[in-house]
Amino acid sequence: MADETFWGVVALSVSFTALVFGLLYAAGERSGTEEGAQAALFVETEETYSYTCHCHRDPVHITIPARQTPRMLGRGRWLP
């Protein structure tokens, strides 16, 4: 085996090994994080629209879930 071929194989082997260890490290569980913080990462928040109405003496804050807002399809048809 030629000297350039040998060092090429060694370089590819080291690179592949580093890639595998990097992927395993990234996929592994992080130590030092709290259980609640990890669980909070997977909770999906619901998209909402909110605004404040200043038409009264005391402002009224209104929040509407996105699933309850009226939506239109193409050509003016309303979704339920």
Side-chain angles (χ1 to χ4, degrees), residues 2 7 25 37-39 43 46-47 50 53 55 59 63 71-72 77:
W7 287 112
Y25 176 75
Q38 286 181 348
V43 174
E46 183 179 11
E47 185 178 349
S50 62
C53 177
C55 55
T63 303
R71 297 174 289 172
M72 284 181 77
R77 294 177 298 177

Side-chain angles (χ1 to χ4, degrees), residues 42-77:
F42 299 106
V43 174
E44 292 186 25
T45 58
E46 183 179 11
E47 185 178 349
T48 59
Y49 298 100
S50 62
Y51 62 93
T52 303
C53 177
H54 296 282
C55 55
H56 298 285
R57 186 179 327 150
D58 297 325
V60 178
H61 184 74
I62 300 170
T63 303
I64 302 172
R67 59 182 160 77
Q68 291 182 351
T69 58
R71 297 174 289 172
M72 284 181 77
L73 290 172
R75 300 187 186 133
R77 294 177 298 177

